[in-house]
Amino acid sequence: MDNYVNITSNDPYTEVGNIVEDWCETHYYGDALVTLFIDGRVTTEYLEFNGDTMQFTWANDWWEGEKDIELIGFRMLGDIMFFGPPNNNQ
């Protein structure tokens, strides 16, 4: 997959979290939705920000030792807006 960030460390939780945190340092901190490509499947995971400790925590255990991991993108939860109900065709 082109234009995505290839995750190569032995601790993808921290590597992806650091990418989000680096962005936050020049923008703002908050909870994030993170979309990942993991061994042929795409998943969106919740990364929670604790303002008291200034640390991120993953809500789910999404890594089980897979080798092919790419960060597709992320959005801060505060930036997400919905207008109307979900489309029944999707």
Side-chain angles (χ1 to χ4, degrees):
M1 300 180 87
D2 294 336
N3 301 321
Y4 304 139
V5 178
N6 191 22
I7 305 302
T8 59
S9 77
N10 291 333
D11 182 2
Y13 296 113
T14 300
E15 186 175 350
V16 173
N18 286 343
I19 292 168
V20 174
E21 186 170 4
D22 288 348
W23 181 91
C24 290
E25 287 177 356
T26 58
H27 296 84
Y28 65 93
Y29 285 85
D31 299 339
L33 294 175
V34 180
T35 301
L36 303 158
F37 178 82
I38 303 173
D39 277 357
R41 68 181 172 86
V42 176
T43 182
T44 298
E45 301 295 335
Y46 180 59
L47 183 60
E48 183 178 15
F49 178 68
N50 182 329
D52 293 332
T53 63
M54 297 299 288
Q55 294 181 333
F56 287 97
T57 303
W58 291 101
N60 295 311
D61 180 16
W62 51 262
W63 182 62
E64 301 296 332
E66 296 91 348
K67 300 293 182 201
D68 187 15
I69 303 170
E70 295 181 59
L71 171 61
I72 295 174
F74 64 92
R75 292 291 179 271
M76 305 315 287
L77 204 55
D79 290 341
I80 297 172
M81 294 182 211
F82 301 99
F83 300 93
N87 183 338
N88 291 335
N89 296 327
Q90 296 181 9

